[in-house]
Amino acid sequence: MTSTTILLILLSVLITGGLSFYHYFYKAKSKSKVTLLLAFLRFFSIFGILLLLINPKITKNTYETEKTPLPIVMDNSSSIVNLKANETALELYKKLTSNADLQEKFAIQSYQFDNEFELSEQFDFKGNQSNFEAVAKNLKSINKNKNYPTVLISDGNQTQGNDYVYSFDANNKVYPLILGDTTTFLDLKINQLNVNKYAFHKNKFPVEVFLNYSGTKSITADFSISQGNSVLNKQSVTFSPSKRSAVINVLLPANTIGLQVFKASITSKETEKNAYNNTKNFAVEVIDQKSEIAIVSSINHPDVGALKRSIETNLQRNVTLVKPKEIQSLQDYNVLILYQPTAEFKSVFELNKNVGLNTFIITGNNTDFNFLNQQQKSLTFKMSSQTEDYLAEFDSQFNLFALDNIGFENLPPLQNAYGTVVANENVNVLLSSRIRNIQTNMPLLAFAENQGKRTAFLLGENIWKWRLQSRIDNESFESFDVFIDKTIQFLASNNSKKSLIVNHESFYNSGDAIEITAQYFNKNYEFDEKARLTISVTNKQTKQNKNYDLLKGNNTYKVNLDGLPAGQYNFTVKELTSKNSYSGYFEILDFDIEQQFVNPDVAKLNQLATQTNGKTFMPNQSDLLIKNLLENEDYKAIQKEITKKIPLIDSILLLILIAAALASEWFIRKYNGML
């Protein structure tokens, strides 16, 4: 207690003693034992009340012995069962946790992990992933700033997360207990398969396959990729004790639109212990991006031919040359290129008001700018009858789509009428113009978007010279053709705003996180946080239906569909208030990554033990592990002195005594007729 508190207590004693003396002894005619008792009760009750007001803190010291934590972490993935090591794992766990000497020295912590990490004393070995990184992160957090060993009962085969060798704290020893038969079996395995999720129709897409071999002799294996009953690619691969891996690169045709499922497999004449890892299914969604582009021109110009050749380098594009008066309907086209429009184009503009196609307007010496001002509001033209050469300046801040500078500043000038061009709202400039070395601050190539409709403007003719110059500079038309293709791609994209937007993959592997996210917008296209979204999922084969609610997150709603068996599924996301809905499809491929292993990963577990200065043990060496832990002098119990300062006002006993003293004083005075 502080000196101030002590002085206040002494002052309270004096005040309480004075009050008690004044009430019962000052001018008192008699001083009986009852008077002394009453004076004491008065003194105690008043002093107790003053003491509570002062509220001194009482210091209490206790001692506590803190044992070193000993996390015993069990691998609960299904690979333990596949390696026929589940019973051994349970025996090792029971032996370690029931050891009296370990219990006396350590505070034993029991955990399990598969794709998640959690406290557990019961194990079913049904996990579909092995996430060692989760073990490392959680142990660091739980036993922060402590020196402790970890016993890891596992086969060491990782299927999820970053490399666990460097995830564990290097200052805390890890003792792996290796599960599974370490005998080397002959085994062929598709270790990894890389493929893009999407491919364009009538193109070819690459597939990269990593093959592994374990064995003691040289063999020849057959690798193939098939779809249904059709073999798309087949080749022989040789392996030997010195050549244990191979990389196969294959180009497959994307001839059919939609989700396409393929199977990669490797076989040999040799008998294998585990044939499950010889095959791997994968899927690619083939997208039809075929676009019909109409170049509408009333004049003959080299630009028209250059644009057609450039656009059609992408096999998904088809260009039709047409005169304005020949167009009767726009239903067959996706994009209109209006080359130097004049009054002849009036019917085309009128037709497009109803169809709403995105347009690419190119101006030049023959353009009727007064007519163009009447047909669109994105750019305002005030042009003279004189012509001018305009050079290009690339704007690196342009962000409507990704595009590299192909050297626009060094390309020949485009010719257009001299005058002023004013860009209105919602116009993004990719290229601005300059006349020789003078910046005009006017657009040369610009993009506008109004009410979901996109328009591009190229203000100048002779773009054919750009394509030719690009060929001279780069020995190829490719850079220029990519620039034109991205422009057409931007115009061919459908960017209409929808109230309900749902994001999902077309296929998932069994065991992967199956997460579907959605966004719902109100009529002002603002994210609606009060939306009520549900999803109905139906298995196409079994017709079994399940319903879920989507939970609101940060500007999105999401649902996790983990646990669905392999198969094909239709689903519908619905907003219950507005009845807006979205229907989709996905497929879960039959693939159990935990069945890929025939041996424990001894090398990696040894590496982990070395990295943390620990040691690996086999199941028959569990006694050595226990002895090592018990004899290690780094792990000693720590006795801590715990000091607690308890405010007196928290003492219920003192309140009871004060109340008892006041009550006793009143009853005694009442009994003796002193009230």
Side-chain angles (χ1 to χ4, degrees):
M1 286 185 288
T2 63
S3 57
T4 303
T5 303
I6 295 172
L7 289 174
L8 288 173
I9 292 173
L10 292 175
L11 182 60
S12 299
V13 171
L14 293 175
I15 293 172
T16 306
L19 289 172
S20 300
F21 177 80
Y22 179 79
H23 281 112
Y24 289 106
F25 294 104
Y26 184 69
K27 296 182 180 181
K29 295 180 180 180
S30 63
K31 299 178 181 177
S32 63
K33 291 182 179 179
V34 174
T35 304
L36 288 172
L37 178 59
L38 290 171
F40 171 75
L41 291 173
R42 176 63 61 86
F43 174 85
F44 181 82
S45 58
I46 296 175
F47 178 71
I49 292 170
L50 291 175
L51 203 58
L52 288 175
L53 292 173
I54 297 170
N55 192 26
K57 291 183 173 65
I58 300 172
T59 302
K60 183 180 179 181
N61 293 328
T62 58
Y63 294 91
E64 181 181 282
T65 300
E66 183 178 306
K67 297 179 181 179
T68 300
L70 176 60
I72 298 177
V73 186
M74 175 68 79
D75 187 340
N76 195 51
S77 64
S78 60
S79 65
I80 304 301
V81 177
N82 298 330
L83 295 177
K84 297 180 173 58
N86 49 313
E87 292 183 3
T88 302
L90 293 174
E91 290 173 3
L92 290 170
Y93 171 79
K94 185 176 180 180
K95 185 174 184 178
L96 290 169
T97 55
S98 62
N99 186 281
D101 293 330
L102 287 179
Q103 291 176 352
E104 183 179 352
K105 182 174 181 178
F106 297 98
I108 295 177
Q109 302 170 345
S110 179
Y111 301 102
Q112 71 171 28
F113 76 97
D114 35 55
N115 57 330
E116 300 289 343
F117 175 86
E118 58 187 358
L119 281 166
S120 180
E121 296 180 355
Q122 301 293 328
F123 315 102
D124 57 13
F125 305 104
K126 293 182 178 179
N128 53 23
Q129 295 279 4
S130 299
N131 189 348
F132 288 80
E133 185 186 16
V135 179
K137 286 184 177 179
N138 281 279
L139 289 181
K140 286 179 184 178
S141 176
I142 294 168
N143 299 309
K144 192 174 182 179
N145 299 325
K146 292 181 180 178
N147 181 30
Y148 63 94
T150 299
V151 176
L152 183 64
I153 307 175
S154 174
D155 58 9
N157 291 312
Q158 182 178 16
T159 63
Q160 194 178 61
N162 295 322
D163 190 342
Y164 65 84
V165 170
Y166 302 100
S167 298
F168 284 83
D169 188 349
N171 296 319
N172 289 315
K173 297 178 181 179
V174 179
Y175 296 94
L177 261 173
I178 301 175
L179 298 175
D181 191 346
T182 58
T183 304
T184 301
F185 297 97
L186 186 146
D187 183 55
L188 289 166
K189 175 182 176 181
I190 298 178
N191 191 51
Q192 186 176 337
L193 189 149
N194 297 328
V195 64
N196 293 329
K197 292 182 178 180
Y198 303 98
F200 294 126
H201 187 220
K202 293 187 178 179
N203 283 359
K204 289 188 176 182
F205 60 92
V207 180
E208 184 180 40
V209 186
F210 293 85
L211 305 175
N212 278 8
Y213 166 72
S214 62
T216 57
K217 61 181 181 179
S218 299
I219 65 168
T220 299
D222 293 323
F223 172 78
S224 65
I225 296 179
S226 60
Q227 185 179 27
N229 296 324
S230 302
V231 177
L232 305 179
N233 182 276
K234 187 173 183 179
Q235 53 187 289
S236 296
V237 187
T238 58
F239 296 98
S240 66
S242 60
K243 183 192 175 186
R244 296 184 176 273
S245 62
V247 180
I248 305 294
N249 290 286
V250 178
L251 285 174
L252 297 181
N255 293 330
T256 306
I257 297 170
L259 185 67
Q260 307 299 316
V261 180
F262 304 89
K263 182 171 76 172
S265 60
I266 183 168
T267 58
S268 71
K269 296 179 181 179
E270 305 293 334
T271 302
E272 297 183 53
K273 182 181 178 181
N274 181 10
Y276 185 87
N277 58 13
N278 287 29
T279 62
K280 183 169 286 190
N281 293 325
F282 64 98
V284 174
E285 185 168 8
V286 179
I287 302 171
D288 184 10
Q289 253 201 346
K290 192 74 174 180
S291 299
E292 292 290 337
I293 294 98
I295 300 181
V296 185
S297 176
S298 60
I299 62 173
N300 294 322
H301 196 284
D303 284 353
V304 175
L307 285 169
K308 178 177 170 63
R309 290 189 186 91
S310 182
I311 294 170
E312 289 185 339
T313 55
N314 184 335
L315 298 178
Q316 301 299 312
R317 317 271 192 235
N318 183 57
V319 177
T320 302
L321 305 180
V322 63
K323 294 185 180 297
K325 292 183 179 181
E326 295 175 354
I327 293 183
Q328 303 299 322
S329 172
L330 299 178
Q331 299 297 331
D332 297 332
Y333 305 114
N334 303 105
V335 178
L336 289 178
I337 299 178
L338 305 179
Y339 188 78
Q340 301 207 36
T342 61
E344 290 185 60
F345 286 69
K346 185 175 182 179
S347 60
V348 180
F349 279 98
E350 291 296 330
L351 286 171
N352 198 33
K353 285 181 180 179
N354 296 323
V355 180
L357 296 182
N358 294 336
T359 56
F360 187 6
I361 297 174
I362 302 175
T363 67
N365 296 331
N366 294 293
T367 304
D368 186 339
F369 290 100
N370 291 326
F371 170 76
L372 199 53
N373 283 332
Q374 296 171 10
Q375 300 301 322
Q376 54 80 42
K377 303 299 180 185
S378 299
L379 299 179
T380 301
F381 298 95
K382 297 180 181 179
M383 315 302 282
S384 68
S385 58
Q386 295 180 337
T387 61
E388 185 59 77
D389 291 337
Y390 293 94
L391 296 168
E393 285 288 332
F394 179 75
D395 186 353
S396 60
Q397 301 303 313
F398 179 81
N399 59 5
L400 287 183
F401 53 87
L403 182 69
D404 295 328
N405 187 351
I406 63 171
F408 291 104
E409 292 82 358
N410 301 320
L411 295 177
L414 299 182
Q415 199 169 74
N416 200 32
Y418 178 77
T420 303
V421 182
V422 178
N424 301 319
E425 294 181 0
N426 299 322
V427 174
N428 290 271
V429 177
L430 173 62
L431 300 175
S432 58
S433 64
R434 60 184 171 90
I435 301 173
R436 289 173 286 279
N437 293 324
I438 301 173
Q439 301 289 340
T440 65
N441 296 320
M442 293 187 298
L444 185 65
L445 176 59
F447 298 84
E449 187 169 3
N450 290 296
Q451 298 179 346
K453 182 181 177 182
R454 294 174 171 178
T455 307
F457 296 89
L458 178 63
L459 307 184
E461 61 180 70
N462 295 330
I463 195 174
W464 67 271
K465 295 182 179 180
W466 284 15
R467 190 169 192 261
L468 185 60
Q469 186 64 48
S470 178
R471 172 70 175 83
I472 294 171
D473 293 342
N474 304 297
E475 299 182 354
S476 169
F477 293 117
E478 183 179 358
S479 58
F480 177 84
D481 291 345
V482 168
F483 153 61
I484 293 296
D485 184 64
K486 289 195 174 185
T487 301
I488 298 300
Q489 175 65 32
F490 174 77
L491 295 172
S493 300
N494 180 14
N495 197 45
S496 59
K497 293 182 177 179
K498 300 177 182 178
S499 296
L500 181 60
I501 298 174
V502 179
N503 296 310
H504 65 97
E505 301 293 346
S506 297
F507 60 90
Y508 303 87
N509 286 321
S510 293
D512 286 352
I514 304 174
E515 189 174 86
I516 294 178
T517 61
Q519 290 179 303
Y520 182 75
F521 299 93
N522 59 24
K523 291 183 179 179
N524 291 332
Y525 208 67
E526 299 166 332
F527 180 75
D528 191 344
E529 296 187 349
K530 297 180 180 180
R532 298 166 58 206
L533 298 178
T534 64
I535 182 172
S536 175
V537 182
T538 304
N539 187 302
K540 289 183 67 176
Q541 286 76 33
T542 65
K543 306 303 180 184
Q544 185 178 8
N545 180 268
K546 292 185 178 182
N547 296 296
Y548 307 86
D549 290 326
L550 277 76
L551 303 179
K552 190 179 78 69
N554 185 19
N555 289 330
T556 188
Y557 293 85
K558 64 182 177 180
V559 63
N560 193 306
L561 303 177
D562 292 359
L564 291 177
Q568 299 174 337
Y569 293 87
N570 292 321
F571 71 92
T572 300
V573 177
K574 183 180 291 184
E575 204 286 313
L576 298 180
T577 303
S578 65
K579 306 301 181 184
N580 282 337
S581 64
Y582 171 91
S583 295
Y585 165 87
F586 64 85
E587 182 171 348
I588 301 176
L589 304 178
D590 184 12
F591 175 68
D592 186 354
I593 194 170
E594 290 292 330
Q595 291 191 42
Q596 302 297 301
F597 310 107
V598 294
N599 292 112
D601 196 336
V602 178
K604 185 156 283 190
L605 289 174
N606 279 329
Q607 192 178 355
L608 171 63
T610 303
Q611 179 73 14
T612 59
N613 294 315
K615 186 178 179 182
T616 56
F617 294 89
M618 303 306 294
N620 59 2
Q621 298 176 312
S622 57
D623 291 332
L624 289 176
L625 169 60
I626 293 172
K627 182 180 178 182
N628 188 300
L629 291 170
L630 293 175
E631 292 179 353
N632 196 318
E633 295 296 323
D634 294 335
Y635 308 120
K636 293 182 179 180
I638 301 173
Q639 190 176 62
K640 290 185 176 181
E641 181 182 5
I642 301 174
T643 301
K644 293 183 179 179
K645 292 187 177 182
I646 305 171
L648 188 63
I649 199 169
D650 292 341
S651 175
I652 297 175
L653 178 61
L654 182 58
L655 290 172
I656 294 172
L657 292 175
I658 292 171
L662 291 170
S664 299
E665 183 183 0
W666 185 86
F667 279 112
I668 293 171
R669 285 171 63 86
K670 180 74 173 177
Y671 182 79
N672 289 280
M674 299 174 68
L675 292 177

